């Protein structure tokens, strides 16, 4: 399939298996953008203030999100913390709305100050997660190490956890390196990884020169970017989409120590297709390397299967259509009262249009 000349493309809705929707006024601003990006399922990250560490918090947050975007299915997570015990895991599994637990190494990213210092102490929790079939989501960076090496340094931890808990479903989130990709490939079928749209577009130099390209894990080399693009269409089922869309007020992104995170929610699907178009144009991916099946797999099917999303309505969901008529990513979006402004990733750039189709 040659995406560079394609006039239109129909796909099932995208499943965004890693996103940040924040809270309060920011949540009200960005949550309506989910469907604009072609998504009908999102996996909501728990690093709020305070972090989501109880089932009751997750239920309350899901209710707020559903009020804002009632057509979207919100999968909830808990933040791994000393208060998250084996009993909490059992309660989470019974809730049917909590699908996993996010492990943040302490201090590696936004609101991770309450994260994990000693992974071994949580082995009883992981054992309970394995027994109750919840997913362990890993922010795969080792703290207090040079940022470009932090993901590669985390690989032994991934293998340690997979060896200790071979039936535990594990996701290496926002993988950004060749080493991370190969580590996931070497693991069994219970280990997968998410790939973001912004990592499909950027390299380190882009992040260093434009604060709105800066994220954690930071984008790496061109070789890493190409490896991610190829993994996204490899058809293995081990790599699927998670936007890691992470909005921040513009003043926090443009200050001296810029907040980490790229805001992509409203253009998630279009950005992925655009990155693959760019890769074909540069000769990094051949035309026969992309098929309808691999696109649907990466953007939708593989993630839904991994998370065992069971909903009869899934079989009747509408489809989305991307068209060659150009859309444009706005320079910013702003809350109705003008108090919050967020600058999107690749602002001002042209993208394919996206519309929702009714059930045939």
């Amino acid at each position: 399939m040659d995406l560079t000349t394609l006039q239109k493309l129909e796909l099932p809705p995208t499943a965004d298996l890693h996103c940040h929707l924040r809270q309060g006024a920011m949540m009200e601003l960005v949550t309506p953008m989910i469907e604009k990006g072609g998504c009908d399922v999102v996996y909501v990250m728990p690093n709020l203030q305070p972090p989501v560490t109880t089932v009751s918090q997750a239920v309350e947050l899901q209710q707020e999100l559903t009020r804002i975007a009632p057509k979207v299915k919100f999968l909830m997570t808990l933040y791994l913390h000393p208060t998250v015990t084996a009993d909490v895991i059992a309660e989470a599994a019974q809730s049917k709305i909590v699908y996993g637990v996010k492990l943040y190494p302490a201090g590696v990213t936004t609101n991770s100050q309450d994260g994990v210092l000693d992974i071994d102490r949580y082995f009883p929790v992981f054992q309970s997660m394995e027994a109750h079939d919840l997913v362990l989501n890993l922010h795969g960076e080792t703290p207090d190490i040079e940022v470009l090496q932090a993901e590669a340094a985390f690989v032994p931890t991934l293998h340690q956890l997979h060896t200790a808990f071979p039936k535990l479903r594990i996701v290496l989130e926002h993988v950004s390196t060749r080493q991370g990709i190969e580590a996931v490939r070497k693991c069994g079928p219970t280990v997968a990884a998410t790939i973001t749209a912004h990592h499909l577009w950027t390299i380190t130099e882009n992040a260093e020169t434009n604060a709105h390209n800066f994220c954690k894990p930071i984008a790496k080399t061109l070789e890493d970017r190409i490896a991610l693009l190829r993994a996204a269409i490899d058809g293995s089922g081990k790599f699927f989409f998670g936007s890691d869309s992470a909005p921040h007020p513009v003043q926090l992104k443009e200050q001296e120590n810029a907040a980490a995170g790229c805001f992509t929610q409203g253009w998630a699907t279009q950005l992925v297709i655009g990155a693959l178009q760019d890769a074909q144009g540069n000769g990094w991916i051949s035309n026969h390397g992309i098929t309808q099946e691999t696109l649907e797999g990466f953007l939708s099917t593989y993630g839904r299967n991994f998370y065992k999303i069971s909903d009869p309505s899934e079989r009747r969901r509408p489809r989305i259509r991307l068209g060659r008529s150009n859309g444009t990513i706005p320079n910013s979006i702003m809350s109705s009262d003008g108090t919050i402004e967020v600058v999107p990733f690749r602002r001002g750039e042209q993208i394919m249009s996206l519309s929702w189709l009714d059930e045939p």
Side-chain angles (χ1 to χ4, degrees), residues 15 42 77 100 120 134 144 148 156 171 197 208 219 259 290 305 334 350 353:
V42 293
T77 57
D120 290 353
L134 291 187
D144 302 321
L148 293 177
V171 179
E208 291 176 338
I290 298 179
N305 291 344
M334 189 171 294
Q350 289 191 328
S353 62

Side-chain angles (χ1 to χ4, degrees), residues 83-356:
T83 59
V84 177
T85 63
D87 288 341
V88 172
I89 296 302
E91 181 188 1
Q94 290 179 339
S95 76
K96 305 301 182 184
I97 69 157
V98 176
Y99 281 71
V101 177
K102 179 71 180 289
L103 187 160
Y104 290 95
V108 295
T109 192
T110 303
N111 295 340
S112 63
Q113 64 273 10
D114 297 313
V116 172
L117 294 170
D118 179 10
I119 287 179
D120 290 353
R121 71 171 290 181
Y122 290 99
F123 271 38
V125 176
F126 302 148
Q127 185 175 27
S128 180
M129 291 176 64
E130 186 177 48
H132 290 284
D133 200 26
L134 291 187
V135 176
L136 175 62
N137 305 100
L138 301 176
H139 183 114
E141 291 188 289
T142 299
D144 302 321
I145 193 171
E146 203 277 323
V147 292
L148 293 177
Q149 305 303 320
E151 183 171 289
F154 190 85
V155 164
T157 300
L158 170 65
H159 288 311
Q160 175 196 10
L161 290 169
H162 181 47
T163 299
F165 306 100
K167 295 182 180 179
L168 176 63
R169 286 180 291 152
I170 299 174
V171 179
L172 181 63
E173 299 293 343
H174 39 55
V175 63
S176 64
T177 62
R178 290 162 291 171
Q179 294 94 327
I181 290 168
E182 289 308 312
V184 170
R185 285 179 172 147
K186 289 178 181 178
C187 292
T190 55
V191 176
T194 54
I195 298 176
T196 76
H198 53 274
H199 283 114
L200 294 178
W201 273 107
T202 55
I203 59 176
T204 306
E205 287 79 1
N206 304 141
E208 291 176 338
T209 58
N210 184 338
H212 299 289
N213 294 335
F214 172 59
C215 58
K216 289 186 178 179
I218 192 169
K220 305 301 194 301
T221 66
L222 178 60
E223 290 76 13
D224 291 310
R225 180 188 170 196
I226 293 172
L228 293 171
L229 287 157
R230 292 174 177 170
I233 57 164
D234 73 1
S236 67
K238 293 182 74 68
F239 303 97
F240 47 82
F241 180 63
S243 71
D244 192 26
S245 179
H248 292 282
V250 63
Q251 61 269 27
L252 296 185
K253 287 296 292 181
E254 296 182 353
Q255 65 186 5
E256 183 175 355
N257 295 310
C262 297
F263 177 53
T264 58
Q265 198 73 65
W267 313 272
T269 304
Q270 302 96 306
L271 283 167
V272 170
I273 299 301
L276 293 171
Q277 289 173 329
D278 184 68
Q280 283 188 323
N282 281 294
W284 302 332
I285 295 174
S286 64
N287 290 353
H288 68 265
I290 298 179
T291 66
Q292 184 79 23
E293 183 180 4
T294 56
L295 287 177
E296 293 186 5
F298 175 70
L299 286 167
S300 188
T301 311
Y302 301 154
R304 293 174 196 268
N305 291 344
F306 190 87
Y307 277 90
K308 302 180 180 181
I309 300 172
S310 58
D311 184 343
S313 66
E314 285 285 302
R315 294 187 293 272
R316 301 190 302 274
R317 65 185 187 274
R319 292 173 68 82
I320 57 174
R321 175 182 291 162
L322 288 90
R324 180 58 65 180
S325 59
N326 288 328
T328 303
I329 299 175
N331 288 321
S332 69
I333 65 168
M334 189 171 294
S335 60
S336 58
D337 62 2
T339 60
I340 299 176
E341 182 180 10
V342 180
V343 173
F345 176 73
R346 292 184 65 80
R347 60 178 170 179
E349 296 287 341
Q350 289 191 328
I351 52 171
M352 296 184 80
S353 62
L354 185 145
S355 58
W356 287 81

